[in-house]
Amino acid sequence: MAARIKAVDLLSRREHSRRELLAKLLTKGYSQEEAEDAVDWAMKQGFQSDERFSNSLFRRRAPTYGDQFIQAELDQHQVGVTLSGQVDDLEPEEVRARKWLERRYAAKLAAALACEDTDHRENLLQLKAKAIRALGARGFHFHNINLAWTRFLQDHSEDA
């Protein structure tokens, strides 16, 4: 009974995957059987859902991370869910990548475009390389990074 209370307590704070909830209960000192019973009970009551967990994780990570990163995190939780068609009302990866570029690099790009000297092209290439590496490390697909950079550069070139 205490494991069920603890499971509900953990789930009241945020969504947990089945695997994650089981691991947390085990680390709290509950036996394997008691923890599994609590997790099964929570699933039957509708308190725990791997689908809700994956939607929650995607919504939390989407503004900052790409689909590859999010899918890898879902795979770590062993929820058996793929991102394709996961959350319909969120923006595509290319749009999220462009917005991330806007938040992180708008001022630097404006400064590079305002530069009238010969270093302008070199500064722009360095900025592009840095942005591409950063987005790639965040799990964005290269195709979407390229589209995002092109649109980002077009938007700021028109303003200059």
Side-chain angles (χ1 to χ4, degrees):
M1 189 63 156
R4 289 181 180 184
I5 293 170
K6 187 62 179 176
V8 171
D9 179 50
L10 291 168
L11 290 167
S12 70
R13 294 182 195 142
R14 71 167 176 88
E15 295 289 342
H16 289 70
S17 68
R18 176 183 170 74
R19 178 176 178 244
E20 181 182 30
L21 185 58
L22 183 62
K24 282 189 176 185
L25 291 173
L26 292 172
T27 60
K28 298 290 181 188
Y30 297 104
S31 69
Q32 181 78 27
E33 183 180 315
E34 194 176 19
E36 285 178 5
D37 175 60
V39 172
D40 289 341
W41 175 83
M43 287 180 72
K44 287 177 189 168
Q45 297 300 314
F47 298 143
Q48 192 281 326
S49 164
D50 280 346
E51 186 177 335
R52 263 196 333 263
F53 168 77
S54 62
N55 285 339
S56 171
L57 183 98
F58 185 76
R59 286 181 190 283
R60 280 183 288 148
R61 300 287 192 242
T64 310
Y65 294 97
D67 291 348
Q68 292 173 335
F69 181 95
I70 298 168
Q71 185 62 57
E73 192 168 349
L74 286 171
D75 292 344
Q76 283 180 328
H77 286 280
Q78 298 176 346
V79 292
V81 175
T82 59
L83 279 181
S84 58
Q86 183 65 21
V87 183
D88 295 330
D89 60 338
L90 287 180
E91 298 167 317
E93 188 182 53
E94 184 262 327
V95 174
R96 296 186 340 252
R98 196 182 106 33
K99 285 185 175 183
W100 187 87
L101 285 171
E102 191 67 44
R103 288 191 308 268
R104 300 286 293 203
Y105 290 98
K108 292 177 184 178
L109 182 62
L113 291 173
C115 221
E116 295 291 331
D117 59 7
T118 57
D119 292 336
H120 166 71
R121 181 149 174 80
E122 184 177 322
N123 290 343
L124 195 57
L125 289 175
Q126 288 176 350
L127 184 63
K128 180 180 180 181
K130 187 175 179 179
I132 287 174
R133 278 193 309 272
L135 284 168
R138 293 183 166 285
F140 287 91
H141 292 274
F142 180 74
H143 175 73
N144 291 326
I145 294 171
N146 197 31
L147 288 172
W149 176 263
T150 302
R151 179 67 192 268
F152 178 62
L153 189 59
Q154 286 172 351
D155 288 350
H156 286 276
S157 295
E158 292 168 0
D159 294 342

